[in-house]
Amino acid sequence: MINFRLIRHLWLFLAVAEERHFGRAARRLGMTQPPLTEQIKVLEQALKVQLFDRTSKGTQLTPAGQAILPAVRRFAEQLEHLELAVREAAAGQSGLLTIGAISSAMLDELPDMIKRLKVSHPGLTVAVREIDSADALPALENGELDVALVRMDRQNVGHIRVQPLKQDRLAVALPARHRLTEHLEIPLIALAEDDFVLFPRHLNPTYHDTLIACCHRAGFAPRVLHEARTVASQVAFVGCGQGVALVPITLARSAPVNVVIRPLQGEVNVVTTALAWHAERPPVLLELLLQELGNSRVEG
Protein backbone atom coordinates (compact mmCIF):
# COMPACT_ATOMS: atom_id res chain seq x y z
CA MET A 1 0.00 0.00 0.00
CA ILE A 2 1.33 3.44 -0.90
CA ASN A 3 2.08 5.57 2.16
CA PHE A 4 0.91 8.93 0.86
CA ARG A 5 1.60 10.59 4.21
CA LEU A 6 5.27 9.61 4.03
CA ILE A 7 5.44 10.86 0.44
CA ARG A 8 4.12 14.26 1.55
CA HIS A 9 6.58 14.40 4.44
CA LEU A 10 9.50 13.63 2.12
CA TRP A 11 8.32 16.36 -0.25
CA LEU A 12 8.31 18.82 2.67
CA PHE A 13 11.77 17.65 3.74
CA LEU A 14 13.11 18.27 0.22
CA ALA A 15 11.76 21.85 0.19
CA VAL A 16 13.39 22.69 3.53
CA ALA A 17 16.65 20.97 2.51
CA GLU A 18 16.84 22.99 -0.72
CA GLU A 19 15.80 26.33 0.79
CA ARG A 20 17.82 25.86 4.02
CA HIS A 21 15.15 27.96 5.70
CA PHE A 22 11.76 26.94 7.10
CA GLY A 23 10.10 30.25 6.28
CA ARG A 24 11.19 30.26 2.62
CA ALA A 25 10.27 26.58 2.28
CA ALA A 26 6.80 27.27 3.70
CA ARG A 27 6.24 30.11 1.22
CA ARG A 28 7.41 27.88 -1.64
CA LEU A 29 4.95 25.20 -0.54
CA GLY A 30 2.07 27.66 -0.08
CA MET A 31 1.67 27.02 3.63
CA THR A 32 2.55 28.67 6.92
CA GLN A 33 5.68 27.83 8.87
CA PRO A 34 4.26 26.23 12.07
CA PRO A 35 2.54 23.26 10.35
CA LEU A 36 5.65 22.73 8.20
CA THR A 37 7.84 22.61 11.30
CA GLU A 38 5.40 20.18 12.92
CA GLN A 39 5.33 17.88 9.88
CA ILE A 40 9.14 17.76 9.78
CA LYS A 41 9.13 16.77 13.46
CA VAL A 42 6.68 13.98 12.65
CA LEU A 43 9.00 12.75 9.88
CA GLU A 44 12.02 12.84 12.19
CA GLN A 45 10.10 10.84 14.79
CA ALA A 46 9.05 8.27 12.18
CA LEU A 47 12.62 7.91 10.90
CA LYS A 48 14.08 8.12 14.43
CA VAL A 49 16.74 10.62 13.32
CA GLN A 50 17.21 14.40 13.44
CA LEU A 51 17.26 15.84 9.92
CA PHE A 52 17.93 19.55 10.51
CA ASP A 53 19.93 21.79 12.83
CA ARG A 54 18.84 25.38 13.29
CA THR A 55 21.81 27.73 13.67
CA SER A 56 22.43 31.46 13.51
CA LYS A 57 23.29 30.94 9.83
CA GLY A 58 19.98 29.30 9.07
CA THR A 59 18.76 25.73 8.81
CA GLN A 60 21.45 23.14 8.13
CA LEU A 61 21.12 19.46 7.28
CA THR A 62 22.43 17.03 9.86
CA PRO A 63 24.63 14.15 8.64
CA ALA A 64 21.50 11.97 8.58
CA GLY A 65 19.67 14.58 6.50
CA GLN A 66 22.57 14.84 4.07
CA ALA A 67 22.65 11.04 3.77
CA ILE A 68 19.02 10.71 2.67
CA LEU A 69 18.84 13.86 0.50
CA PRO A 70 20.11 12.25 -2.78
CA ALA A 71 17.62 9.38 -2.48
CA VAL A 72 14.76 11.79 -1.73
CA ARG A 73 15.69 13.87 -4.79
CA ARG A 74 15.63 10.78 -7.02
CA PHE A 75 12.29 9.78 -5.50
CA ALA A 76 10.88 13.24 -6.21
CA GLU A 77 12.01 13.02 -9.85
CA GLN A 78 10.32 9.64 -10.21
CA LEU A 79 7.11 11.05 -8.73
CA GLU A 80 7.19 13.92 -11.23
CA HIS A 81 7.61 11.46 -14.10
CA LEU A 82 4.75 9.35 -12.73
CA GLU A 83 2.51 12.40 -12.43
CA LEU A 84 3.32 13.43 -16.00
CA ALA A 85 2.64 9.94 -17.32
CA VAL A 86 -0.72 9.82 -15.53
CA ARG A 87 -1.72 13.24 -16.91
CA GLU A 88 -0.75 12.21 -20.43
CA ALA A 89 -2.64 8.93 -20.15
CA ALA A 90 -5.74 10.73 -18.87
CA ALA A 91 -5.51 13.16 -21.79
CA GLY A 92 -5.25 10.30 -24.28
CA GLN A 93 -1.66 11.03 -25.22
CA SER A 94 0.46 8.32 -26.83
CA GLY A 95 3.04 7.98 -24.10
CA LEU A 96 6.11 9.24 -22.31
CA LEU A 97 9.71 8.72 -23.45
CA THR A 98 12.37 9.47 -20.85
CA ILE A 99 15.79 10.18 -22.35
CA GLY A 100 19.03 10.62 -20.45
CA ALA A 101 21.73 12.52 -22.32
CA ILE A 102 25.24 13.78 -21.81
CA SER A 103 25.58 17.55 -22.18
CA SER A 104 27.19 17.41 -25.65
CA ALA A 105 24.31 15.28 -26.99
CA MET A 106 21.80 17.74 -25.51
CA LEU A 107 23.44 20.46 -27.58
CA ASP A 108 23.99 18.43 -30.74
CA GLU A 109 21.88 15.38 -31.62
CA LEU A 110 18.99 15.63 -29.18
CA PRO A 111 17.17 18.86 -30.22
CA ASP A 112 16.67 17.79 -33.85
CA MET A 113 15.75 14.26 -32.81
CA ILE A 114 13.02 15.50 -30.45
CA LYS A 115 11.74 17.90 -33.11
CA ARG A 116 11.37 15.05 -35.63
CA LEU A 117 9.77 12.76 -33.04
CA LYS A 118 7.19 15.43 -32.29
CA VAL A 119 6.30 15.60 -35.98
CA SER A 120 5.95 11.83 -36.38
CA HIS A 121 4.33 11.28 -32.95
CA PRO A 122 2.59 14.54 -31.95
CA GLY A 123 1.08 12.97 -28.83
CA LEU A 124 4.44 11.83 -27.46
CA THR A 125 5.84 13.51 -24.36
CA VAL A 126 9.63 13.52 -24.17
CA ALA A 127 11.28 14.05 -20.78
CA VAL A 128 15.02 14.82 -20.91
CA ARG A 129 17.47 14.36 -18.06
CA GLU A 130 21.14 15.37 -18.11
CA ILE A 131 23.41 12.51 -17.03
CA ASP A 132 27.00 11.32 -17.05
CA SER A 133 27.75 8.29 -19.23
CA ALA A 134 28.41 6.12 -16.16
CA ASP A 135 25.09 7.14 -14.57
CA ALA A 136 23.18 5.84 -17.59
CA LEU A 137 23.76 2.15 -16.85
CA PRO A 138 22.12 2.01 -13.40
CA ALA A 139 19.36 4.39 -14.54
CA LEU A 140 18.52 2.09 -17.46
CA GLU A 141 18.74 -0.99 -15.22
CA ASN A 142 16.25 0.35 -12.67
CA GLY A 143 13.87 1.79 -15.27
CA GLU A 144 14.45 5.49 -14.57
CA LEU A 145 15.36 5.99 -18.26
CA ASP A 146 13.96 4.47 -21.45
CA VAL A 147 17.07 5.28 -23.51
CA ALA A 148 20.30 7.18 -23.01
CA LEU A 149 22.61 9.15 -25.29
CA VAL A 150 26.07 8.52 -23.90
CA ARG A 151 29.77 8.61 -24.78
CA MET A 152 30.54 4.90 -24.97
CA ASP A 153 31.99 2.40 -27.43
CA ARG A 154 30.00 -0.73 -28.19
CA GLN A 155 30.07 -2.73 -24.98
CA ASN A 156 26.94 -4.62 -24.03
CA VAL A 157 26.91 -4.69 -20.23
CA GLY A 158 24.52 -7.25 -18.79
CA HIS A 159 21.08 -6.34 -20.13
CA ILE A 160 22.25 -2.97 -21.50
CA ARG A 161 22.71 -2.70 -25.25
CA VAL A 162 24.86 0.03 -26.79
CA GLN A 163 24.68 1.23 -30.40
CA PRO A 164 27.41 3.72 -31.44
CA LEU A 165 25.96 6.59 -33.44
CA LYS A 166 28.69 9.15 -34.03
CA GLN A 167 32.45 9.35 -34.19
CA ASP A 168 34.54 12.47 -33.92
CA ARG A 169 38.17 13.36 -34.45
CA LEU A 170 40.24 13.55 -31.29
CA ALA A 171 41.70 16.95 -30.42
CA VAL A 172 43.51 18.58 -27.54
CA ALA A 173 42.25 21.46 -25.41
CA LEU A 174 45.09 23.84 -24.52
CA PRO A 175 45.26 26.89 -22.25
CA ALA A 176 45.19 30.00 -24.46
CA ARG A 177 48.84 30.82 -23.65
CA HIS A 178 50.14 27.29 -24.21
CA ARG A 179 53.33 27.00 -26.26
CA LEU A 180 51.57 24.87 -28.94
CA THR A 181 48.54 27.04 -29.72
CA GLU A 182 50.15 28.40 -32.91
CA HIS A 183 50.24 24.92 -34.45
CA LEU A 184 47.32 23.92 -36.69
CA GLU A 185 47.73 20.25 -35.70
CA ILE A 186 49.41 18.87 -32.58
CA PRO A 187 51.51 15.70 -32.54
CA LEU A 188 50.45 13.81 -29.43
CA ILE A 189 54.07 13.20 -28.37
CA ALA A 190 54.49 16.98 -28.07
CA LEU A 191 52.23 16.78 -24.98
CA ALA A 192 54.37 14.19 -23.18
CA GLU A 193 55.63 16.69 -20.58
CA ASP A 194 52.25 18.33 -19.98
CA ASP A 195 49.85 17.66 -17.12
CA PHE A 196 46.56 16.10 -18.25
CA VAL A 197 42.98 16.57 -17.15
CA LEU A 198 41.08 13.31 -17.58
CA PHE A 199 37.89 11.78 -16.26
CA PRO A 200 37.93 8.87 -13.78
CA ARG A 201 38.17 5.48 -15.48
CA HIS A 202 35.11 4.07 -13.71
CA LEU A 203 32.87 6.63 -15.45
CA ASN A 204 33.63 5.24 -18.91
CA PRO A 205 36.32 2.52 -18.96
CA THR A 206 36.34 1.97 -22.74
CA TYR A 207 36.67 5.65 -23.68
CA HIS A 208 39.23 6.24 -20.92
CA ASP A 209 41.33 3.28 -22.07
CA THR A 210 41.19 4.49 -25.69
CA LEU A 211 42.72 7.84 -24.72
CA ILE A 212 45.41 6.22 -22.59
CA ALA A 213 46.23 3.78 -25.42
CA CYS A 214 46.65 6.70 -27.85
CA CYS A 215 49.24 8.24 -25.55
CA HIS A 216 51.04 4.92 -25.12
CA ARG A 217 51.22 4.45 -28.89
CA ALA A 218 52.72 7.94 -29.16
CA GLY A 219 55.43 6.86 -26.72
CA PHE A 220 54.46 8.20 -23.30
CA ALA A 221 52.15 7.69 -20.33
CA PRO A 222 50.03 10.78 -19.56
CA ARG A 223 50.62 12.44 -16.21
CA VAL A 224 47.07 13.01 -14.90
CA LEU A 225 46.93 16.01 -12.59
CA HIS A 226 43.13 16.38 -12.31
CA GLU A 227 40.10 14.17 -12.89
CA ALA A 228 36.79 15.70 -14.02
CA ARG A 229 33.43 14.00 -14.54
CA THR A 230 32.47 15.73 -17.79
CA VAL A 231 34.16 17.08 -20.91
CA ALA A 232 32.88 20.55 -20.02
CA SER A 233 34.60 20.29 -16.64
CA GLN A 234 37.81 19.15 -18.31
CA VAL A 235 37.75 22.23 -20.55
CA ALA A 236 37.10 24.41 -17.51
CA PHE A 237 40.19 22.98 -15.78
CA VAL A 238 42.22 23.64 -18.93
CA GLY A 239 41.03 27.25 -18.95
CA CYS A 240 42.32 27.59 -15.40
CA GLY A 241 45.77 26.49 -16.54
CA GLN A 242 45.56 23.10 -14.83
CA GLY A 243 46.75 21.04 -17.80
CA VAL A 244 45.63 19.87 -21.23
CA ALA A 245 42.76 17.54 -22.14
CA LEU A 246 41.96 15.18 -25.01
CA VAL A 247 38.48 16.07 -26.28
CA PRO A 248 36.31 15.70 -29.42
CA ILE A 249 37.09 18.32 -32.07
CA THR A 250 33.46 19.52 -32.13
CA LEU A 251 34.06 21.21 -28.78
CA ALA A 252 36.05 23.83 -30.68
CA ARG A 253 32.69 25.44 -31.58
CA SER A 254 31.89 26.17 -27.93
CA ALA A 255 35.33 26.58 -26.35
CA PRO A 256 35.72 29.60 -24.03
CA VAL A 257 38.14 32.36 -24.99
CA ASN A 258 40.80 31.09 -22.58
CA VAL A 259 40.93 27.65 -24.24
CA VAL A 260 42.25 26.73 -27.70
CA ILE A 261 41.28 23.40 -29.24
CA ARG A 262 43.51 21.92 -31.94
CA PRO A 263 43.17 18.59 -33.79
CA LEU A 264 45.77 15.94 -33.17
CA GLN A 265 48.17 15.05 -35.96
CA GLY A 266 47.02 11.87 -37.69
CA GLU A 267 43.28 11.30 -37.55
CA VAL A 268 42.28 9.48 -34.37
CA ASN A 269 38.53 8.94 -34.19
CA VAL A 270 36.60 8.15 -31.03
CA VAL A 271 32.94 7.35 -30.40
CA THR A 272 31.35 10.51 -29.03
CA THR A 273 27.68 9.49 -28.97
CA ALA A 274 25.93 6.14 -28.58
CA LEU A 275 22.37 5.08 -27.86
CA ALA A 276 21.90 2.72 -24.90
CA TRP A 277 18.78 0.84 -23.77
CA HIS A 278 17.68 -2.12 -21.67
CA ALA A 279 17.38 -5.25 -23.82
CA GLU A 280 14.45 -6.63 -21.80
CA ARG A 281 12.60 -3.29 -21.82
CA PRO A 282 13.31 -1.75 -25.22
CA PRO A 283 11.15 1.32 -25.86
CA VAL A 284 8.50 0.93 -28.52
CA LEU A 285 10.13 3.69 -30.54
CA LEU A 286 13.62 2.17 -30.46
CA GLU A 287 13.79 1.44 -34.20
CA LEU A 288 12.54 4.95 -34.97
CA LEU A 289 15.06 6.49 -32.58
CA LEU A 290 17.92 4.69 -34.29
CA GLN A 291 16.64 5.80 -37.69
CA GLU A 292 16.27 9.41 -36.53
CA LEU A 293 19.81 9.31 -35.17
CA GLY A 294 21.21 7.98 -38.43
CA ASN A 295 20.95 4.20 -38.10
CA SER A 296 18.67 1.90 -40.04
CA ARG A 297 18.50 -1.08 -37.73
CA VAL A 298 18.96 -2.28 -34.18
CA GLU A 299 22.14 -4.22 -33.57
CA GLY A 300 23.43 -6.19 -30.63
Side-chain angles (χ1 to χ4, degrees):
M1 182 179 295
I2 299 175
N3 189 334
F4 290 101
R5 188 179 184 188
L6 176 60
I7 291 175
R8 172 171 170 75
H9 285 160
L10 292 176
W11 202 265
L12 300 180
F13 161 79
L14 183 59
V16 178
E18 291 179 343
E19 296 292 341
R20 301 296 174 96
H21 191 279
F22 274 82
R24 287 196 299 269
R27 288 193 292 273
R28 166 176 156 182
L29 294 164
M31 61 191 299
T32 58
Q33 184 172 335
L36 173 60
T37 302
E38 185 61 32
Q39 292 299 309
I40 294 297
K41 288 180 180 178
V42 171
L43 177 61
E44 290 177 325
Q45 291 169 0
L47 297 178
K48 296 182 173 57
V49 292
Q50 183 178 346
L51 299 173
F52 296 102
D53 280 326
R54 291 192 181 190
T55 69
S56 58
K57 296 181 180 180
T59 301
Q60 304 295 324
L61 283 163
T62 64
Q66 292 173 347
I68 72 169
L69 180 58
V72 174
R73 278 195 172 125
R74 289 194 297 271
F75 181 61
E77 287 180 359
Q78 291 171 343
L79 282 179
E80 289 176 353
H81 291 159
L82 174 61
E83 182 182 7
L84 180 59
V86 170
R87 287 203 308 267
E88 296 293 343
Q93 300 293 325
S94 60
L96 171 67
L97 181 69
T98 304
I99 302 175
I102 56 177
S103 55
S104 59
M106 291 178 69
L107 293 170
D108 196 355
E109 295 90 356
L110 196 54
D112 284 343
M113 186 195 78
I114 293 176
K115 184 177 180 180
R116 292 194 296 268
L117 284 175
K118 287 290 190 178
V119 171
S120 60
H121 292 72
L124 178 68
T125 296
V126 179
V128 178
R129 177 174 143 196
E130 186 176 11
I131 57 168
D132 293 333
S133 293
D135 294 336
L137 299 182
L140 289 167
E141 285 282 4
N142 62 32
E144 291 180 27
L145 298 175
D146 295 314
V147 293
L149 287 168
V150 293
R151 183 174 292 105
M152 190 180 298
D153 281 318
R154 179 189 299 279
Q155 52 171 21
N156 296 333
V157 183
H159 297 298
I160 306 303
R161 299 293 175 262
V162 179
Q163 175 66 49
L165 301 172
K166 180 181 177 183
Q167 288 192 336
D168 202 358
R169 186 176 179 182
L170 197 60
V172 58
L174 305 165
R177 296 185 178 181
H178 194 276
R179 66 188 186 281
L180 297 174
T181 55
E182 298 303 317
H183 293 246
L184 296 180
E185 291 187 341
I186 310 293
L188 192 51
I189 188 61
L191 303 168
E193 300 303 318
D194 284 271
D195 294 323
F196 277 73
V197 182
L198 200 62
F199 52 86
R201 185 179 185 277
H202 72 271
L203 290 181
N204 193 333
T206 303
Y207 191 75
H208 179 281
D209 292 348
T210 297
L211 301 186
I212 297 297
C214 287
C215 295
H216 286 169
R217 285 195 299 271
F220 72 99
R223 184 172 62 244
V224 180
L225 180 64
H226 291 289
E227 291 187 329
R229 287 181 61 89
T230 67
V231 173
S233 297
Q234 287 178 268
V235 172
F237 271 106
V238 172
C240 293
Q242 298 299 296
V244 301
L246 299 179
V247 299
I249 188 63
T250 49
L251 260 71
R253 298 195 302 250
S254 57
V257 293
N258 57 353
V259 174
V260 174
I261 295 181
R262 293 285 184 261
L264 291 176
Q265 211 171 68
E267 288 203 20
V268 179
N269 292 321
V270 291
V271 172
T272 55
T273 310
L275 188 73
W277 67 93
H278 197 290
E280 295 186 352
R281 295 191 303 272
V284 176
L285 297 178
L286 179 59
E287 287 282 358
L288 179 60
L289 286 170
L290 288 169
Q291 290 171 11
E292 293 290 355
L293 290 164
N295 287 266
S296 58
R297 61 191 179 91
V298 178
E299 301 179 19

